[in-house]
Amino acid sequence: YRARVREEGTDDAERGAGMRAASPKYTLRNWMLQEAIDAAEAGDASLVAELLDLARRPYDEQSPARHARYFVRRPDWARSRPGCSALSCSS
């Protein structure tokens, strides 16, 4: 990698910008969608709208609140919940 970086002659900032342009920062996960489904079934569709907006702009920086909510590891509650941690063949 170091040899290729030297060969290309790009600096850290330029390489970082290229990586951010090619790799989305936010990727929808099953646990996020399950939260939205649960809320929608209870009559609150706001999480569905929020995830839709996030999915439309996955490369963009988001608000600090959205970053704290969605740029995280899977929460503990989702580790054992079907559809969030283990999927069946019919999923």
Side-chain angles (χ1 to χ4, degrees):
Y1 178 77
R2 288 185 189 127
R4 182 174 177 177
V5 167
R6 278 193 302 271
E7 190 176 296
E8 289 177 353
T10 57
D11 63 20
D12 291 345
E14 189 177 354
R15 280 191 317 282
M19 285 185 240
R20 284 187 296 280
S23 301
K25 182 169 185 174
Y26 298 94
T27 304
L28 296 183
R29 304 289 184 200
N30 288 3
W31 66 266
M32 295 174 185
L33 298 168
Q34 190 61 57
E35 275 188 327
I37 290 166
D38 292 346
E41 287 177 341
D44 178 6
S46 64
L47 285 179
V48 173
E50 186 170 336
L51 288 179
L52 180 58
D53 185 54
L54 187 71
R56 286 180 173 150
R57 301 179 302 117
Y59 297 90
D60 297 351
E61 290 298 327
Q62 302 290 330
S63 70
R66 220 178 244 188
H67 177 83
R69 182 172 175 86
Y70 296 118
F71 195 67
V72 295
R73 293 186 182 273
R74 177 179 54 183
D76 288 338
W77 66 262
R79 294 189 188 285
S80 59
R81 180 136 182 215
C84 296
S85 61
L87 302 176
S88 71
C89 294
S90 62
S91 293

